[in-house]
Amino acid sequence: MTVGVRSLRSSMRAVVGDLLRFSRPHLRQQTLRFSTASVARAENELATPTDAADEPPSTWEQSRDKTRLVPVSPSYFTGSPGFYDNWLALQELLRKYQTLPTVTMDEAPPAKWKTLAQYRGIVGTSVKAARYKKICNVLDRLNCINPALIPHEVSNALDMYRREVSQVESQAKPAVLDHLGRARGVGRRKTSVARVLLAEGNGEVLVNGAPLAAIFERLHDRESAVFPLLATGRMDKYNVWATVMGGGKTGQAEALTLGIARALLVHEPALKPALRRAGVVTRDPRMVERKKPGHVKARKMPTWVKR
Amino acid sequence: MIIRRALIRGSRLMQSPLRSFVRGLGTHPQSDLSQGKHLPEHSQTPGNPENGFKKRPIDEGNPMTLKDEFEMLQKFRKSTGTLGTRIAPHYKPHAAAAHPPAPQDITLELLLAAGAHLGHSTSLWNPGNQRYIFGIRQGIHIISLEQTAAHLRRAAKVVEGVARNGGLVLFVGSRQGQDRCVVEAAKRAGGCHLFEKWVPGTITNGSRIVGAGAVIEKDFSDRENPKGPIENADPIRPDLVVCLNPLENYIMLHECASTNIPTIGVIDTDADPTWVTYPIPANDDSLRCTQLIAGILGRAAEAGRLARIAKAETQL
């Protein structure tokens, strides 16, 4: 019956590493250790004599017959105590302040919460995405409390989960021409990859060092390869230098399409609506479907036999 | 007319400030009712100590903020919110969760009101529960509330004893709506809670599943070792498990049985009573019933814990 109760004072000296304290009930940190127990204990025995000499005798040191080992968190048996403690603390806050007037999500102050990866880094890897989403929902609801009436308790709790968004990092780096006035573009289709350099010129196109007609025998492929320039009427205004590898001829041609379109957008970003209407802005996601067991090919099934 | 006469005779109501209100109950078209003079506010003056709240004088240079207005609204609601129909005492789920009854308050009426007597269809029963069944009504088995009360009191004694001896009690209730009562009961007991799925292997494979959890040394007056949590501690096992839905948590009960951990469970007419050490025959499908049982056992554990702390303090 009394499995967890045993006398420990003679055998155990607690280790001080990173302490988990109840002073931060809303966000609990866990650090994982990888040293073996015996090594850790040896290090502690070296450390404790000096510590014991300096500290004054505390009340814990007075003679006590029995002690027992108990979990720090009441969510110990859930497997992810850090997450559940945070969840319960937020639920309690919500219950306490659920009658306060709220505003709509649009009127509420904009807030970005920590990403799952960041939260896992704090609490532990055992947190599932669906569970963290529940926490984010509660945070959104708490954030909707009228800002004039929001208690300090709630705003402190929300600040713990807020993601620090640096304006500099969140802005995308604008693509620029290099020192020779060339724009880079990468296009992919099926397993083909095309790397394109587009510069102002008179309309020459070289693919893997050879002219377009030498690489692509089919007229359709040649047309589709330079379709962005054809559709916008800039065939004679730019020069193309491209290296393309992987896949087959048509795949390579389509990859070139996308690569040239992206490079052209660096030169003239205003062309985006026109290129989108031409259908060259989206990367075609279709790939060869795998063969499945029980089928002859990806979809084809063997002949059905009645018996 | 009849009402007015009755009220005039019932002279208790004739004291101000309600007199004007009573006068307003007349059927005369030119009565004070139509001119709005029946409203209590008209008879009150600002700053009158009869008021439930102090009215803030309107100050154009310093207008009231939203916070001030809200505070005033709260005060107004507090003072006037109780006016009106007197509602008879009734079941309030949030109050029941926050202030559950104690084992001394177990009565058959309480269990009946919670619906603890309602079993399952007679065709779905487990014959091992025969001794707990009172009879059949409308195609379902009715659980004997005397049995329920007796087993609940016994379970409360067990929980209190374990808490008194410093044991760890785990409250488990994985159905929707059982999370709050389980957490509250664990808080009272100083134990642990679980309101989602039990991970198989939590006891038999503890080092993998709960091994990362922090563990600390505490004495019998619940004071912690100032050195803090222990590194690389062995996984802890509960000393007693209270399960509100044994049918869903049969794996956990099996693990407890194989590792000699006593269990308490709410056993419905279709559940197997041999799965737990101390069955409580009751309706596990009623949230009110399971919350009541969790509350009672939480209170019992709280009593045991406080007794332990008091004893340890006196032995200092």
Side-chain angles (χ1 to χ4, degrees):
Chain A
M1 190 83 77
T2 54
V3 173
V5 177
R6 45 182 184 271
S7 174
L8 298 162
R9 285 183 47 72
S10 55
S11 59
M12 294 294 281
R13 277 281 173 206
V15 178
V16 175
D18 294 318
L19 295 182
L20 303 173
R21 283 287 166 219
F22 284 108
S23 57
R24 291 187 64 200
H26 295 299
L27 210 57
R28 182 144 293 140
Q29 296 195 0
Q30 273 190 0
T31 49
L32 300 172
R33 284 177 223 300
F34 300 98
S35 60
T36 59
S38 54
V39 170
R41 222 170 272 143
E43 284 172 351
N44 301 330
E45 275 158 15
L46 287 171
T48 41
T50 50
D51 291 351
D54 295 336
E55 284 170 6
S58 63
T59 50
W60 179 266
E61 297 299 318
Q62 290 168 9
S63 65
R64 292 197 172 272
D65 295 312
K66 289 190 284 188
T67 57
R68 63 204 211 281
L69 285 181
V70 293
V72 168
S73 162
S75 313
Y76 180 81
F77 293 100
T78 59
S80 39
F83 166 79
Y84 280 99
D85 288 345
N86 293 337
W87 167 246
L88 289 171
L90 286 174
Q91 287 280 65
E92 210 177 298
L93 265 184
L94 182 59
R95 202 179 303 125
K96 194 170 167 187
Y97 296 115
Q98 64 187 354
T99 52
L100 287 181
T102 56
V103 296
T104 57
M105 287 278 283
D106 303 321
E107 292 164 26
K112 281 194 189 295
W113 311 120
K114 287 192 157 60
T115 60
L116 180 62
Q118 286 172 336
Y119 185 73
R120 273 181 180 154
I122 294 166
V123 162
T125 48
S126 53
V127 179
K128 291 186 181 172
R131 287 190 182 149
Y132 183 57
K133 187 80 170 55
K134 291 201 292 191
I135 277 198
C136 289
N137 290 340
V138 175
L139 291 170
D140 284 332
R141 166 61 183 86
L142 286 172
N143 198 36
C144 284
I145 295 175
N146 196 313
L149 303 169
I150 196 163
H152 288 298
E153 223 181 343
V154 174
S155 44
N156 290 343
L158 293 177
D159 288 337
M160 272 196 221
Y161 290 90
R162 223 177 280 275
R163 193 196 314 175
E164 294 90 22
V165 183
S166 68
Q167 289 298 317
V168 177
E169 281 171 12
S170 59
Q171 279 166 5
K173 215 170 54 170
V176 292
L177 305 177
D178 66 4
H179 65 287
L180 295 170
R182 303 173 297 188
R184 283 195 172 274
V186 175
R188 274 176 257 256
R189 176 80 213 277
K190 285 193 191 174
T191 51
S192 309
V193 181
R195 291 180 212 136
V196 173
L197 286 167
L198 195 74
E200 303 218 352
N202 57 0
E204 290 172 26
V205 180
L206 286 177
V207 179
N208 288 349
L212 204 60
I215 298 288
F216 298 116
E217 284 180 15
R218 282 179 66 205
L219 180 67
H220 185 268
D221 289 342
R222 281 179 228 160
E223 251 191 40
S224 62
V226 292
F227 195 67
L229 298 171
L230 280 174
T232 52
R234 278 141 169 86
M235 198 62 222
D236 53 346
K237 298 200 176 60
Y238 291 98
N239 281 356
V240 177
W241 168 265
T243 46
V244 63
M245 51 189 278
K249 287 289 173 201
T250 306
Q252 287 182 344
E254 298 284 330
L256 271 174
T257 310
L258 187 64
I260 290 172
R262 284 182 176 166
L264 187 57
L265 282 173
V266 178
H267 280 277
E268 296 177 64
L271 281 178
K272 191 155 187 186
L275 288 176
R276 191 172 280 286
R277 279 194 299 273
V280 295
V281 164
T282 306
R283 195 266 196 234
D284 196 333
R286 294 177 291 174
M287 298 288 274
V288 173
E289 200 173 311
R290 67 157 281 195
K291 183 199 178 301
K292 285 128 199 159
H295 297 239
V296 174
K297 294 163 35 153
R299 302 282 176 105
K300 182 178 179 179
M301 296 271 289
T303 316
W304 176 75
V305 181
K306 203 170 185 177
R307 329 199 141 75
Chain B
M1 273 281 259
I2 298 167
I3 298 164
R4 191 180 181 183
R5 278 198 191 137
L7 282 165
I8 288 165
R9 266 191 241 120
S11 56
R12 261 198 353 177
L13 280 171
M14 293 309 289
Q15 291 154 28
S16 66
L18 285 167
R19 190 186 301 147
S20 49
F21 177 65
V22 167
R23 210 180 298 135
L25 286 175
T27 52
H28 195 279
Q30 296 302 319
S31 70
D32 294 337
L33 197 73
S34 59
Q35 286 149 32
K37 286 189 189 150
H38 64 288
L39 293 168
E41 276 174 357
H42 276 267
S43 63
Q44 291 177 345
T45 52
N48 189 339
E50 278 184 323
N51 293 3
F53 61 95
K54 293 249 182 292
K55 267 191 194 173
R56 191 176 135 167
I58 295 166
D59 184 353
E60 296 302 326
N62 186 16
M64 281 169 71
T65 61
L66 184 70
K67 197 163 184 177
D68 296 333
E69 279 189 22
F70 186 67
E71 274 171 21
M72 207 169 98
L73 175 69
Q74 299 281 71
K75 283 183 200 161
F76 180 72
R77 275 180 181 159
K78 210 172 173 182
S79 62
T80 58
T82 49
L83 293 177
T85 315
R86 240 173 293 153
I87 302 171
H90 60 280
Y91 170 63
K92 292 173 203 146
H94 53 282
H99 306 287
Q104 298 88 289
D105 305 327
I106 295 172
T107 58
L108 301 193
E109 290 87 358
L110 182 67
L111 294 169
L112 187 78
H117 60 292
L118 301 165
H120 283 271
S121 167
T122 52
S123 56
L124 299 173
W125 77 316
N126 185 314
N129 292 317
Q130 191 171 33
R131 67 186 71 192
Y132 309 130
I133 290 169
F134 183 70
I136 300 171
R137 184 153 181 160
Q138 292 185 335
I140 61 162
H141 276 125
I142 303 297
I143 299 168
S144 166
L145 287 179
E146 286 167 351
Q147 296 274 350
T148 307
H151 285 84
L152 185 53
R153 286 189 194 110
R154 178 174 76 158
K157 272 266 174 245
V158 168
V159 175
E160 191 187 332
V162 169
R164 196 189 290 265
N165 285 302
L168 182 67
V169 187
L170 169 64
F171 289 87
V172 176
S174 43
R175 289 200 186 179
Q176 274 259 351
Q178 287 178 349
D179 54 349
R180 195 174 166 204
C181 70
V182 156
V183 168
E184 291 288 323
K187 219 186 278 185
R188 284 180 200 280
C192 292
H193 54 244
L194 176 65
F195 47 87
E196 285 194 4
K197 182 176 178 280
W198 166 270
V199 179
T202 302
I203 292 171
T204 52
N205 195 15
S207 54
R208 278 269 175 220
I209 293 168
V210 297
V215 166
I216 199 163
E217 190 186 356
K218 275 190 186 176
D219 67 3
F220 270 50
S221 51
D222 275 355
R223 290 195 335 192
E224 296 177 357
N225 187 334
K227 301 276 182 186
I230 294 162
E231 249 196 31
N232 302 317
D234 289 335
I236 288 186
R237 291 176 173 181
D239 297 310
L240 177 68
V241 171
V242 176
C243 181
L244 300 181
N245 52 340
L247 278 175
E248 277 99 37
N249 293 309
Y250 64 94
I251 300 173
M252 176 189 74
L253 296 173
H254 188 271
E255 274 188 59
C256 291
S258 64
T259 49
N260 295 331
I261 296 171
T263 48
I264 294 172
V266 177
I267 300 294
D268 210 337
T269 51
D270 60 346
D272 191 343
T274 58
W275 281 358
V276 296
T277 323
Y278 300 101
I280 303 172
N283 182 7
D284 65 356
D285 296 303
S286 163
L287 273 183
R288 184 170 168 177
C289 175
T290 48
Q291 283 164 2
L292 172 71
I293 290 173
I296 288 171
L297 296 180
R299 277 248 185 251
E302 186 184 34
R305 178 174 66 90
L306 294 174
R308 161 171 49 90
I309 292 169
K311 189 176 171 195
E313 296 291 325
T314 55
Q315 280 175 352
L316 254 179

